[in-house]
Amino acid sequence: MKVSKRAKNVPASATIAVTARAKELKAQGVDVVSFGAGEPDFDTPDYIKEAAIEALKAGQTKYTAAAGIVELRTVIAEKLKRENNLEYSPDQIIVNIGGKHSIYEAMQAVLDPGDEVILPTPYWVTYPEAVKLADASPVIVQTDRANSYKITPDQLKGAITEKTAMLVLNSPNNPGGFTYTPEELKEIAKVLEGTKVVVISDEIYEKLIYGDTKFVSFASLSKDAYDRTLTLNGLSKTFSMTGWRLGYTAGPVDTIKAMARLQSHMTSNVVTFGQYAAIAALKGPVGEVVERMRVEFERRGKYMAERLNSLKGVQCPEPTGAFYCFPDVSSHYGRNINGTIINGSVDFAKALLEQANVALVPGLPFGCDNNVRLSFACSLEQITKGLNRLEKWLGQ
Ligand SMILES: Cc1ncc(COP(=O)(O)O)c(C=O)c1O
């Protein structure tokens, strides 16, 4: 059957490709250590599951408004006020089918053919594909390790043209594991003043921050930032609910209405009983749920970064957010390891998986071929085992 040019041009997600090969090897009985996961290794808390079961039993099994039930949008508005110092009314909020859908739909609602979207490296793999699906062009801005891979105000200034329609910010960052400080975000907000650039602020990892890191929502920085920002978040990471597909977007009424119109023809509402579970999640003991997971991630991330930095030719900033280490391994490029010449992050990941049975994700699809991504959403025992293997493999 014919396949559209649009579909042909979308590559499969690189993160999924590595996970699939690791699964294949596991199915053959190989003991693979996987650092590929993009989801917490904790279960969804019981009180959330119970709320979904209760909603099902109460007959919450029919269509709702495309943008989501008003009770949920009200609870999200309260959350944004309480935790993020953001004032949104329920009609400024839409519930989407995961944060990934929020990104796709926000871009469909804002972008026109020919528009440019600034994506600082490293960027989450979905961003450039969602930009292209909206017939716009990604403008990739290379950042430096010296600045922990964050875009500087000057780099941003240099990238803005009259075609720039959007900037995507993701803090805490996947795959970089860094978090912008409030001061850094204020500098970025200043550069944007007087422009028409819309900001997507992807805040999905907001609760997973470490050490003395402070999280601030971009839209809360000033009236100007508020007016130009679509604040994007979801329940996947905070509540270990990746499979539930619950995300949301908050922003100017007209943009949210445009997203709702698109959504009404694409997917309609998010699963109805899931929306009731989301109310319970956001109203529940959020601090407790998150803290348990956060403390564990912090311990693992610290250990992983320390071990990585002790490896010859590997440099890794300690993660301040999310659950990823993103070391620079490029000093090993050009080497012949067990008969394989390592010519970049893809070769590195492939050879490591096949030869030492450790799965990680190459940095190339995130725009950083010098790096690889290791998720620490797995036990400390697995982390130790995998890093021992990596150490031995690199030492050959
Ligand atoms: C940076 C970033 N944004 C958004 C998402 C979307 O998550 P979901 O679609 O599960 O809500 C992810 C998931 O990996 C992510 O890493």
Side-chain angles (χ1 to χ4, degrees):
M1 190 186 286
K2 179 179 176 291
V3 173
S4 72
K5 287 194 192 98
R6 185 185 308 110
K8 274 187 199 147
N9 287 336
V10 178
S13 162
T15 45
I16 289 171
V18 175
T19 316
R21 178 65 185 139
K23 270 190 188 150
E24 216 172 88
L25 287 172
K26 274 185 195 165
Q28 292 165 14
V30 180
D31 171 28
V32 175
V33 175
S34 185
F35 294 135
E39 58 186 351
D41 55 323
F42 300 91
D43 196 6
T44 304
D46 279 344
Y47 78 94
I48 302 173
K49 291 183 185 172
E50 276 151 22
I53 293 165
E54 263 171 45
L56 262 174
K57 284 187 178 158
Q60 301 297 357
T61 57
K62 301 289 199 278
Y63 294 133
T64 70
I69 54 176
V70 73
E71 296 93 317
L72 174 54
R73 287 184 284 126
T74 304
V75 168
I76 293 170
E78 287 164 4
K79 179 262 181 235
L80 291 169
K81 172 81 187 133
R82 189 175 62 244
E83 297 178 6
N84 305 86
N85 196 25
L86 287 169
E87 200 82 55
Y88 289 112
S89 59
D91 62 351
Q92 288 181 277
I93 293 166
I94 180 165
V95 186
N96 312 111
I97 302 173
K100 191 174 272 190
H101 183 219
S102 308
I103 289 158
Y104 176 78
E105 201 171 86
M107 290 187 180
Q108 292 288 321
V110 171
L111 299 173
D112 280 310
D115 282 347
E116 291 179 354
V117 178
I118 297 177
L119 301 177
T121 60
Y123 45 78
W124 185 43
V125 283
T126 290
Y127 299 152
E129 301 315 319
V131 170
K132 287 184 260 170
L133 286 168
D135 293 327
S137 306
V139 173
I140 309 297
V141 177
Q142 286 295 333
T143 60
D144 301 320
R145 192 177 73 216
N147 196 40
S148 302
Y149 303 106
K150 299 176 196 178
I151 191 168
T152 65
D154 283 341
Q155 285 171 331
L156 178 58
K157 246 182 251 168
I160 295 174
T161 70
E162 77 253 12
K163 289 187 187 161
T164 308
M166 186 180 272
L167 163 70
V168 182
L169 284 176
N170 171 218
S171 172
N173 185 273
N174 173 14
F178 59 79
T179 310
Y180 282 88
T181 66
E183 291 68 34
E184 288 164 341
L185 289 178
K186 273 181 207 154
E187 291 295 312
I188 288 175
K190 249 190 243 154
V191 173
L192 297 177
E193 279 174 22
T195 72
K196 289 190 187 140
V197 178
V198 170
V199 173
I200 287 189
S201 181
D202 181 344
E203 304 183 355
I204 202 135
Y205 292 98
E206 66 165 335
K207 299 290 183 200
L208 300 176
I209 50 173
Y210 313 120
D212 55 6
T213 305
K214 286 193 177 52
F215 172 81
V216 67
S217 282
F218 187 79
S220 72
L221 293 174
S222 64
K223 163 96 174 65
D224 183 89
Y226 178 85
D227 289 341
R228 67 172 70 252
T229 300
L230 290 169
T231 300
L232 199 146
N233 209 325
L235 281 75
S236 285
K237 318 287 175 176
T238 304
F239 297 98
S240 296
M241 291 177 74
T242 45
W244 294 67
R245 314 310 302 132
L246 283 157
Y248 56 88
T249 315
V253 173
D254 287 348
T255 315
I256 298 299
K257 273 192 183 153
M259 288 176 70
R261 282 199 304 277
L262 289 166
Q263 185 156 309
S264 73
H265 292 291
M266 290 196 288
T267 60
S268 292
N269 58 278
V270 167
V271 170
T272 302
F273 49 88
Q275 294 187 52
Y276 286 89
I279 293 176
L282 291 165
K283 278 185 139 177
V286 184
E288 227 176 86
V289 168
V290 175
E291 192 55 13
R292 199 170 47 90
M293 189 163 65
R294 195 199 66 76
V295 166
E296 182 56 26
F297 279 142
E298 180 160 37
R299 198 162 72 100
R300 298 175 188 174
K302 225 181 166 85
Y303 172 74
M304 186 182 261
E306 254 171 46
R307 286 284 313 266
L308 286 167
N309 280 316
S310 75
L311 303 179
K312 198 170 165 233
V314 176
Q315 283 167 318
C316 179
E318 190 174 310
T320 58
F323 39 70
Y324 309 102
C325 280
F326 197 56
D328 184 328
V329 295
S330 60
S331 74
H332 291 278
Y333 296 172
R335 282 188 58 200
N336 179 336
I337 304 185
N338 288 333
T340 304
I341 311 280
I342 308 295
N343 272 330
S345 62
V346 175
D347 288 349
F348 187 98
K350 274 190 189 160
L352 180 66
L353 180 57
E354 300 299 335
Q355 296 177 15
N357 305 135
V358 174
L360 45 68
V361 185
L364 185 65
F366 301 108
C368 293
D369 198 27
N370 285 347
N371 301 66
V372 290
R373 188 191 81 174
L374 290 86
S375 159
F376 44 90
C378 55
S379 70
L380 211 48
E381 195 194 343
Q382 285 290 300
I383 294 173
T384 308
K385 188 165 151 184
L387 291 176
N388 289 346
R389 288 184 187 178
L390 175 63
E391 186 170 16
K392 199 168 155 210
W393 184 71
L394 283 177
Q396 288 177 49

